[in-house]
Amino acid sequence: MRDFKQDVKASGYIHRPLPLDSSRSFEKQQLEKEAIANRRSLTDNFQNWQQRGRGEIKQTEETVTLLSATRYDTWAKGAPEDGDYVNFGEVGAYLPIPREDWSEFTQIKLDIAAECVNVINPNITITLENDGEIKIPDIYNREGTHVINLEGQAKRTYVLDISNLPRDVVTGIRIFTGANGSYMNLQGQLSYTISSLFLEQNQNSTSAKGWKVPSQEIVFSHIGYHPDYSKTAIINSEDFTATTFDLKSEDTVIFQGEIKKATTENGTFGVLDFSTVKELGTYYLQIADTKTPNFQIGAVSTLKSDSIWKSLNFIFCERCGCPVHGIHGTCHEDLTVEYKDSLVSFNGGWHDAGDLSQQLVQTAEVTSSLFEAAETVKDQPDLYLRLIEEGEWGIDFILKTRLDEGDRVTSAGITRWTDNRIGTMDDAVPRIHNSPYDNFLITGLLAKIIKSLPRDYAMRAQLLQVVKEDYQYAFAGFKKTGFKHEPIFWEHTYNTSKSLFLATMSWTAALMYQLTAEETYQEQMTEWFDELLTCQEQTGLKLFDGTILKGMFYRDETHKVFQHFNHQAREHLYALAFEEVLTASPKHAKAEKWLERANEYGDYLDYLGQFTDPYPMYASGIYREDEWQDKESFYRQHLLVDDEAEVSYQEQLKQGIKIGDGLYIKRFPVWFSFRGNNGILLSMGKSAAVLGRLLNRPALLDKGHQQLQWMVGKNPFGQSMIYGEGYNYPQQYSVSSGELTGEMPVGMQTFGNEDQPYWPQFNNATYKEVWVGVAGKWLSLVAELIKSEKGYQFH
């Protein structure tokens, strides 16, 4: 087994990427466990391959090879003239299939060899086309497409599980790759050879949809359990005849418990509850011959220390404008924009996701999370200093994109490695906005950082000057435009509601008051926070079971549309507003009322915690059946939607749980093109942990911790969603930089309009796309739990 601490040290404490450990990956287990019952070769069809896109293909009786340059001097046909969010084109091969039923086959197996030159992350993409009852690809071109990040260039066998994909009328297979630029703009060549293409029936293929536990497995938290929180694992009760389970340590039975049967909206399960065990140590669970790998019971600061390093590694590997050893050289020096007769550079911070786009707000949020995590690990000097260093990389980007009087360079849509030469055709032009909301948010993030810094920190005085100025620019802009928020829809704050705007402003003002003791900030904080509370349900809605539900926030004071998130998630800002307002004014005349409202919000989060039992995932929230009729709100919440979205909203709602007249709980959000809920869960978990600490409610702290468990194993597929953390972690959509230790995806999705988990091996955007924003939220939630554990006080 690898020595992780030695790996960290060998990386120079994350100054080059941590090595990948594929020994516990999903793909390795997939090959080891397969039992092939039937096989059919598609190699006989290889003479029928058709070339698609740029470059060329070469065929033999047994192979097809994709060949292309890594860049071109023109954009591909159909690309936007300014090259926004495109690469240099694709080279592909298409194999037509004469409307065949492949339902009996569960996987595609193929060999791939590469002879690429100066290519960053050699990879190929496979798309399966189906023209049956369910069309593949879907209308958003997400379903049915999978990227394989190659494990070196030598010929290897790769497997793609299609058992959960519609395949009753298969019409074609498309294999392609992108001309995406090259390492340091050296002359590059794409060359991929595909051979030995088979359809197979694997008797051990696993389900990728629904709540049922994998056969003969125990689903548990790979990252362990806290001694003071609940400790459970889950089985399919039909798989086992035993009525008891053992918790063991080094083959010694520490605890024996009854397997309890639990029937919920999501099915019937066996639950293994060992919450009474408090002793720290390394354990495993066993039922008859079935046992889990080892896990720990321990403090959050112990259990999550490795994950902090791994999250930091992922964030570091996504650096823009900085060479990252083994991945890319200095990049994107030609992202520039004209501003007042000057030229402003936009490289820096971290690439947004699996692509190479850049978002100021996301970099700012990740920066704040790094400093927040650092504050809680001062007893680990190596980790503390490295988190501060990476955070300073983010601060540099925030400052370099800051222009005059609230103007900021905000984002760039880019998914290619450019030539770093300003003035050539592949340059990308960043966007400039003066958004009061973004200015308040970034000011608050910086103010939070300043609050955590030691008094003698070298840049503290300068940062304080910046936030004072930027707060005034935000306030001046807000006085002009009010709550109108009009960036283009690619900006990360496009879905901002009035209530979220108010939460952000009151949170920021509270932090400014704590930093400066200037009463103006306190006055504005109180005004905005009181207005925020008018957007909260205070009377209560009567549900079918007699529950009076309140505490949740609406998008504004009209109470027409509930606040919920489907991709970008800032639920935690409501809890942070309560935290900082009460910290700033603990003896305010309204403090008791504010605490009451905070408790009601905590009650709402408690309520949402029951709908995925026995799994720990928070339900996404409460919905009205007529919310889609508020068109301005609907189309601000959902990006790139098709004409059918309004009808689809109603269909998705009916898959949820009806709890009152016109009221539904959705376990997963209503969503369309943009799917994946890790950011949502971590944001909700952060809210729960903040309120748990503020209100001394341990159950909320427990639920916050459980959101981390969901991501690392305690889900219906027994998979970890963090590469290199826990067990059974799959490749993700990390198409630009390749697989990275600590990478985290956007999150689990649903199929079509369903409201149950769907986690296929297919790793297309957005659900399996790696996203630094998720890593930032992971760090923030872990930090909050450590604060509670170490007894951090509010006042």
Side-chain angles (χ1 to χ4, degrees):
M1 188 171 179
R2 299 191 69 94
D3 185 334
F4 181 71
K5 288 185 172 61
Q6 185 58 41
D7 282 345
V8 169
K9 185 176 180 180
S11 74
Y13 297 96
I14 319 296
H15 286 96
R16 57 178 57 194
L18 288 171
L20 289 173
D21 180 4
S22 60
S23 65
R24 292 172 285 134
S25 70
F26 170 87
E27 285 76 17
K28 181 174 175 59
Q29 295 184 51
Q30 181 185 44
L31 281 170
E32 290 176 347
K33 291 180 178 180
E34 69 178 12
I36 304 304
N38 188 15
R39 195 181 207 208
R40 172 188 163 191
S41 174
L42 292 176
T43 306
D44 293 343
N45 297 359
F46 269 32
Q47 294 298 326
N48 297 327
W49 286 104
Q50 302 170 5
Q51 194 267 341
R52 293 284 191 272
R54 306 193 107 156
E56 61 177 326
I57 65 171
K58 291 185 177 180
Q59 302 173 68
T60 70
E61 290 184 356
E62 297 182 344
T63 66
V64 59
T65 300
L66 312 181
L67 294 166
S68 173
T70 55
R71 61 171 291 128
Y72 292 86
D73 293 330
T74 59
W75 301 119
K77 184 179 179 181
E81 292 183 7
D82 62 358
D84 184 57
Y85 215 76
V86 295
N87 56 22
F88 299 103
E90 295 171 343
V91 54
Y94 178 74
L95 182 64
I97 305 295
R99 301 183 68 81
E100 295 179 357
D101 186 349
W102 287 2
S103 299
E104 67 178 295
F105 299 105
T106 63
Q107 66 185 35
I108 293 173
K109 184 178 288 179
L110 71 165
D111 289 348
I112 307 170
E115 294 184 36
C116 297
V117 179
N118 293 324
V119 171
I120 300 172
N121 186 39
N123 66 85
I124 69 161
T125 302
I126 301 176
T127 296
L128 188 68
E129 295 180 355
N130 189 68
D131 193 33
E133 182 178 350
I134 299 176
K135 311 295 182 186
I136 300 294
D138 63 333
I139 59 174
Y140 298 111
N141 205 30
R142 305 289 195 187
E143 203 64 52
T145 295
H146 177 69
V147 176
I148 299 175
N149 295 319
L150 301 189
E151 299 177 35
Q153 298 209 109
K155 184 164 80 170
R156 293 177 184 267
T157 298
Y158 298 90
V159 177
L160 179 55
D161 188 336
I162 62 172
S163 60
N164 296 275
L165 203 66
R167 56 196 186 282
D168 53 329
V169 185
V170 177
T171 58
I173 297 177
R174 182 173 172 239
I175 298 179
F176 60 99
T177 192
N180 207 33
S182 59
Y183 189 85
M184 294 303 294
N185 200 40
L186 295 167
Q187 186 173 355
Q189 173 74 30
L190 300 169
S191 176
Y192 301 96
T193 297
I194 292 92
S195 59
S196 302
L197 181 61
F198 291 95
L199 292 174
E200 295 181 334
Q201 183 185 44
N202 180 5
Q203 293 177 312
N204 287 338
S205 61
T206 57
S207 173
K209 187 164 67 171
W211 299 100
K212 190 175 180 180
V213 174
S215 178
Q216 295 294 322
E217 290 189 22
I218 302 172
V219 161
F220 70 105
S221 168
H222 301 177
I223 51 171
Y225 301 84
H226 190 279
D228 298 332
Y229 299 157
S230 59
K231 305 172 198 68
T232 62
I234 309 164
I235 61 171
N236 178 5
S237 56
E238 296 176 359
D239 288 343
F240 298 90
T241 57
T243 58
T244 62
F245 71 93
D246 292 331
L247 178 72
K248 293 184 173 182
S249 178
E250 296 182 348
D251 297 327
T252 299
V253 176
I254 304 300
F255 174 83
Q256 187 175 79
E258 177 187 355
I259 299 173
K260 300 174 183 177
K261 190 173 182 179
T263 299
T264 73
E265 291 267 3
N266 309 309
T268 299
F269 306 87
V271 177
L272 287 55
D273 192 333
F274 51 103
S275 299
T276 57
V277 178
K278 307 285 188 181
E279 186 176 350
L280 310 186
T282 301
Y283 301 90
Y284 64 92
L285 293 163
Q286 185 166 359
I287 305 173
D289 294 330
T290 299
K291 61 181 182 180
T292 67
N294 287 338
F295 60 85
Q296 287 184 300
I297 295 177
V300 175
S301 52
T302 301
L303 296 178
K304 307 302 183 296
S305 178
D306 286 1
S307 83
I308 295 174
W309 280 111
K310 291 170 186 176
S311 304
L312 174 61
N313 178 78
F314 169 43
I315 293 168
F316 163 72
C317 290
E318 289 284 2
R319 275 193 182 189
C320 176
C322 175
V324 179
H325 179 84
I327 299 180
H328 64 80
T330 301
C331 63
H332 299 118
E333 292 183 306
D334 45 4
L335 269 65
T336 61
V337 60
E338 291 185 5
Y339 180 77
K340 294 185 177 180
D341 299 322
S342 64
L343 202 60
V344 182
S345 172
F346 191 62
N347 68 335
W350 302 282
H351 296 134
D352 175 77
D355 58 34
L356 300 170
S357 61
Q358 177 57 281
Q359 295 274 350
L360 169 60
V361 163
Q362 177 139 284
T363 281
E365 289 178 317
V366 171
T367 301
S368 180
S369 295
L370 288 162
F371 279 95
E372 188 178 3
E375 186 182 11
T376 66
V377 295
K378 290 179 180 178
D379 54 343
Q380 302 177 59
D382 291 335
L383 180 53
Y384 169 75
L385 291 172
R386 187 59 187 85
L387 286 165
I388 292 290
E389 179 189 7
E390 197 64 25
E392 288 173 340
W393 178 258
I395 284 180
D396 177 74
F397 186 72
I398 295 169
L399 297 180
K400 75 181 286 187
T401 54
R402 178 177 178 262
L403 303 176
D404 299 340
E405 298 180 339
D407 292 344
R408 295 182 187 271
V409 194
T410 57
S411 64
I414 188 167
T415 183
R416 59 186 177 271
W417 302 103
T418 57
D419 63 9
N420 289 333
R421 297 181 180 180
I422 298 171
T424 57
M425 61 81 63
D426 72 346
D427 294 357
V429 179
R431 308 167 183 115
I432 293 177
H433 290 296
N434 191 324
S435 162
Y437 179 77
D438 290 15
N439 285 333
F440 273 120
L441 177 60
I442 294 169
T443 299
L445 293 166
L446 280 176
K448 184 72 171 176
I449 291 169
I450 297 168
K451 186 181 171 184
S452 72
L453 294 173
R455 301 292 297 184
D456 59 352
Y457 183 79
M459 291 177 58
R460 194 177 190 280
Q462 289 77 19
L463 291 175
L464 189 57
Q465 179 181 342
V466 166
V467 295
K468 286 180 178 179
E469 291 179 2
D470 287 357
Y471 185 96
Q472 293 308 315
Y473 296 143
F475 184 72
F478 174 69
K479 294 298 286 183
K480 291 180 181 177
T481 62
F483 295 100
K484 187 177 182 181
H485 183 56
E486 294 296 340
I488 68 164
F489 69 53
W490 282 118
E491 300 291 351
H492 270 213
T493 56
Y494 185 72
N495 66 1
T496 299
S497 65
K498 181 177 179 179
S499 67
L500 188 60
F501 208 131
L502 286 162
T504 305
M505 290 196 299
S506 53
W507 170 69
T508 300
L511 286 165
M512 293 299 295
Y513 177 63
Q514 293 172 61
L515 291 177
T516 68
E518 295 177 15
E519 291 186 2
T520 300
Y521 294 122
Q522 186 186 43
E523 292 168 1
Q524 292 170 347
M525 171 199 82
T526 305
E527 176 187 346
W528 293 331
F529 192 67
D530 281 344
E531 190 173 357
L532 168 64
L533 296 183
T534 68
C535 304
Q536 188 183 23
E537 177 59 50
Q538 297 179 15
T539 304
L541 305 177
K542 188 171 183 179
L543 308 183
F544 290 147
D545 65 359
T547 297
I548 304 299
L549 186 63
K550 53 186 175 180
M552 58 284 195
F553 285 93
Y554 295 86
R555 287 184 65 85
D556 59 30
E557 74 282 0
T558 66
H559 292 201
K560 291 180 179 178
V561 179
F562 291 110
Q563 175 68 59
H564 27 66
F565 298 90
N566 60 72
H567 183 60
Q568 292 288 339
R570 296 185 175 88
E571 178 81 36
H572 57 282
L573 284 169
Y574 294 101
L576 291 179
F578 278 113
E579 173 193 10
E580 298 299 352
V581 166
L582 284 162
T583 300
S585 299
K587 297 181 180 180
H588 195 283
K590 297 181 179 179
E592 187 175 339
K593 181 61 69 175
W594 292 340
L595 279 169
E596 182 181 340
R597 298 291 175 245
N599 266 299
E600 289 171 354
Y601 179 40
D603 292 343
Y604 172 63
L605 292 175
D606 269 345
Y607 180 76
L608 293 181
Q610 64 183 296
F611 291 98
T612 63
D613 283 344
Y615 296 98
M617 185 190 89
Y618 262 128
S620 72
I622 185 173
Y623 291 73
R624 286 194 194 279
E625 62 185 2
D626 61 355
E627 286 184 20
W628 63 273
Q629 295 179 12
D630 187 328
K631 302 300 173 64
E632 192 280 333
S633 166
F634 186 80
Y635 289 101
R636 186 165 290 277
Q637 293 181 67
H638 302 288
L639 305 184
L640 300 179
V641 294
D642 189 83
D643 292 342
E644 57 81 50
E646 294 177 14
V647 173
S648 182
Y649 173 91
Q650 299 168 71
E651 293 175 353
Q652 288 190 43
L653 218 57
K654 291 174 184 176
Q655 295 296 311
I657 301 170
K658 193 168 187 179
I659 57 170
D661 289 332
L663 300 174
Y664 290 81
I665 289 291
K666 287 284 278 98
R667 286 155 287 202
F668 288 86
V670 171
W671 48 20
F672 304 97
S673 179
F674 288 79
R675 299 186 178 215
N677 72 340
N678 281 343
I680 300 163
L681 297 183
L682 293 174
S683 184
M684 295 175 77
K686 176 72 172 183
S687 275
V690 168
L691 293 175
R693 188 161 63 92
L694 172 66
L695 306 170
N696 192 25
R697 292 176 59 165
L700 286 171
L701 288 162
D702 187 356
K703 201 65 179 180
H705 190 260
Q706 289 182 44
Q707 304 317 297
L708 305 177
Q709 295 179 358
W710 166 269
M711 282 184 59
V712 191
K714 199 175 176 185
N715 54 62
F717 314 108
Q719 292 184 32
S720 168
M721 287 182 257
I722 304 179
Y723 200 92
E725 182 76 358
Y727 309 94
N728 201 23
Y729 37 81
Q731 277 199 355
Q732 299 175 26
Y733 184 82
S734 185
V735 65
S736 294
S737 299
E739 236 61 57
L740 306 167
T741 295
E743 67 188 20
M744 303 182 193
V746 173
M748 208 165 284
Q749 64 160 336
T750 58
F751 186 85
N753 291 327
E754 296 174 355
D755 192 29
Q756 59 179 334
Y758 177 50
W759 192 238
Q761 185 185 1
F762 280 68
N763 65 7
N764 198 9
T766 56
Y767 56 100
K768 274 197 176 176
E769 183 172 13
V770 301
W771 199 14
V772 293
V774 175
K777 286 183 171 62
W778 175 278
L779 289 174
S780 181
L781 176 50
V782 168
E784 192 63 46
L785 293 166
I786 295 175
K787 288 177 190 176
S788 174
E789 187 173 77
K790 292 186 174 182
Y792 280 53
Q793 299 299 314
F794 278 93
H795 311 312

